[in-house]
């Protein structure tokens, strides 16, 4: 995989995306922030951008995702069905934290395989309920083509975000299934204050 990476450009683009999201949450009619709370809203909390959490993941594509659907409980007590379409295997290597070093897996889901919908990657980690939202966080990955076994894809955990139900009980959000609970802290992306 060729991924020309410039850390300064990446950090600037990430901060720009965060500022754009803050504007949406502050001003847009579809913001998950309840209208009565928007005046006090002064932006989301984030971990500092860290390129160590922008990793290359090896893709394992599942041949028949419909054969083994994954039920996910939601914050409203319902259950939704997702299809495990891929497994992403990646290494974390931190210079300052040997506890994070290792190989990890996250599963990627869709509700309908083969469509245009992005890969949905809900997860929990050791920050969940402490530094990050208690219901876990999400990532969405857009592949520029159909993925095949052995492909490499960039998994930027700095893009991890809290679902809308973290901001308002009017939303019903899938909870990460146990197979996507990481036994490591991922101090990247959105956090709670």
């Amino acid at each position: 995989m060729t991924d020309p990476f410039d850390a300064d450009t990446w950090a600037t683009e990430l901060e720009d995306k965060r500022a754009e999201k803050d504007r949406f949450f502050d001003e847009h009619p579809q913001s998950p922030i309840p209208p009565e709370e928007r005046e006090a809203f002064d932006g989301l909390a984030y971990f500092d951008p860290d390129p160590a959490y922008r990793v290359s993941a090896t893709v394992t594509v599942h041949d028949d995702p419909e054969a083994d659907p994954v039920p996910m409980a939601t914050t409203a007590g319902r259950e939704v069905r997702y299809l495990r379409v891929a497994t992403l295997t990646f290494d974390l290597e931190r210079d300052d934290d040997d506890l994070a070093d290792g190989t990890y897996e996250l599963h990627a889901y869709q509700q309908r395989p083969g469509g245009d919908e992005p890969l949905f990657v809900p997860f929990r980690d050791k920050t969940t309920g402490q530094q990050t939202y208690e219901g876990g966080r999400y990532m969405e990955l857009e592949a520029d083509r159909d993925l095949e076994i052995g492909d490499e894809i960039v998994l930027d955990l700095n893009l991890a975000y809290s679902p809308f139900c973290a901001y308002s009980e009017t939303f019903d959000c899938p909870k990460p299934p146990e197979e996507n609970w990481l036994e490591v802290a991922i101090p990247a992306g959105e956090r709670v204050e």
Side-chain angles (χ1 to χ4, degrees), residues 24 74 83 98 119:
F24 174 86
T74 72
L83 304 176
D98 292 337
L119 297 176

mmCIF file of all heavy atoms in Angstrom, residues 24 74 83 98 119:
data_model
loop_
_atom_site.group_PDB
_atom_site.id
_atom_site.type_symbol
_atom_site.label_atom_id
_atom_site.label_comp_id
_atom_site.label_asym_id
_atom_site.label_seq_id
_atom_site.Cartn_x
_atom_site.Cartn_y
_atom_site.Cartn_z
ATOM 1 N N PHE A 24 -21.259 22.390 12.939
ATOM 2 C CA PHE A 24 -22.498 21.652 12.697
ATOM 3 C C PHE A 24 -23.259 21.444 14.009
ATOM 4 O O PHE A 24 -24.457 21.697 14.098
ATOM 5 C CB PHE A 24 -22.194 20.296 12.039
ATOM 6 C CG PHE A 24 -23.400 19.415 11.882
ATOM 7 C CD1 PHE A 24 -24.220 19.531 10.776
ATOM 8 C CD2 PHE A 24 -23.731 18.474 12.862
ATOM 9 C CE1 PHE A 24 -25.345 18.729 10.631
ATOM 10 C CE2 PHE A 24 -24.847 17.665 12.723
ATOM 11 C CZ PHE A 24 -25.658 17.796 11.606
ATOM 12 N N THR A 74 -29.315 -1.834 21.144
ATOM 13 C CA THR A 74 -29.275 -0.389 20.983
ATOM 14 C C THR A 74 -29.514 0.291 22.328
ATOM 15 O O THR A 74 -29.946 -0.342 23.293
ATOM 16 C CB THR A 74 -30.333 0.112 19.976
ATOM 17 O OG1 THR A 74 -31.636 -0.002 20.570
ATOM 18 C CG2 THR A 74 -30.274 -0.684 18.676
ATOM 19 N N LEU A 83 -24.349 -7.118 9.374
ATOM 20 C CA LEU A 83 -23.591 -8.188 8.747
ATOM 21 C C LEU A 83 -22.105 -7.881 8.880
ATOM 22 O O LEU A 83 -21.659 -6.793 8.540
ATOM 23 C CB LEU A 83 -23.982 -8.315 7.266
ATOM 24 C CG LEU A 83 -25.479 -8.536 7.007
ATOM 25 C CD1 LEU A 83 -25.759 -8.542 5.516
ATOM 26 C CD2 LEU A 83 -25.966 -9.817 7.659
ATOM 27 N N ASP A 98 4.324 0.737 26.387
ATOM 28 C CA ASP A 98 4.461 -0.647 25.942
ATOM 29 C C ASP A 98 3.170 -1.440 26.104
ATOM 30 O O ASP A 98 2.977 -2.452 25.446
ATOM 31 C CB ASP A 98 5.582 -1.351 26.710
ATOM 32 C CG ASP A 98 6.951 -0.792 26.344
ATOM 33 O OD1 ASP A 98 7.074 -0.216 25.258
ATOM 34 O OD2 ASP A 98 7.877 -0.932 27.159
ATOM 35 N N LEU A 119 -18.299 1.200 5.636
ATOM 36 C CA LEU A 119 -18.097 0.168 6.648
ATOM 37 C C LEU A 119 -18.291 0.812 8.018
ATOM 38 O O LEU A 119 -17.729 1.871 8.312
ATOM 39 C CB LEU A 119 -16.690 -0.407 6.539
ATOM 40 C CG LEU A 119 -16.347 -1.120 5.233
ATOM 41 C CD1 LEU A 119 -14.882 -1.539 5.240
ATOM 42 C CD2 LEU A 119 -17.251 -2.313 5.004
#
